[in-house]
Amino acid sequence: LADYIGHRHILGDGMPLAVAIAQKKPFSRLRWGPPGCGKTTLALLLADAFDARYIRLSAVFSGVKEVREAVAQAQQERAIGRKTILFIDEIHRFSKSQQDSLLAAVEQGIVTLIGATTENPSFEVIRPLLSRCQVYTLGPLSTEEIIGLLQHAITTDELLSQRRIVLTETAALLRYAGGDARRALNILELVALSTTSDPLLVTDELVSQRVQTNPLAFD
């Protein structure tokens, strides 16, 4: 969790989430933010920080049946004194009845719900579920955060750390990434895989050339 980049407004010292981690008291919440801002990564790290069972569902592929199975697993974990974090990606895609199936488990504390959405939850999530969750808005990563993320990847990523990579220019990479951490990492990986020079000097010209010749990779 210490390596997580961004969103200090909820993770900084004294902020609600930081306090909850320190006290080992998770609470249900919805995260609203654009793709690639770290919603899923943060959920996984928090499950570890709270020493909780982590169950992940995607609203695109899951329904009431999968929710009930997750709640049943959480009840078994609760019987032995272990918390369960239920992470639902794209929760705005759940229908009203599917969201209704979460209410009792969240209300009774059987699961700690973390929902991720790219849509405004005030319009896409039912009011009873909203009232049981805190809503946090996560924005795109800043220029400094994207660069920090890339520098971290250069030294720790299994693929990138095998090369000597130097970010000599970053304007084009940042422009194509648009605050999306996943896209920034994908671009850097594309440049590394398609360029054999060692050391690899990442320039604006090189990035623009590689991205424009592989447009479908960023569709």
Side-chain angles (χ1 to χ4, degrees), residues 3 21 51 70 73 82 86-87 135 154 164 178 191 202-203 207 213 218:
D3 291 329
I21 293 170
D51 190 26
Q73 294 176 40
R82 193 180 185 201
L86 174 60
F87 175 71
V135 178
I154 286 171
R164 290 186 295 166
V191 172
V202 179
T203 64
V207 169
T213 55
F218 307 101

Side-chain angles (χ1 to χ4, degrees), residues 175-190:
R175 183 174 68 253
Y176 285 116
D180 185 324
R182 185 184 299 110
R183 184 178 296 172
L185 289 168
N186 283 342
I187 293 172
L188 182 60
E189 186 175 281
L190 172 64

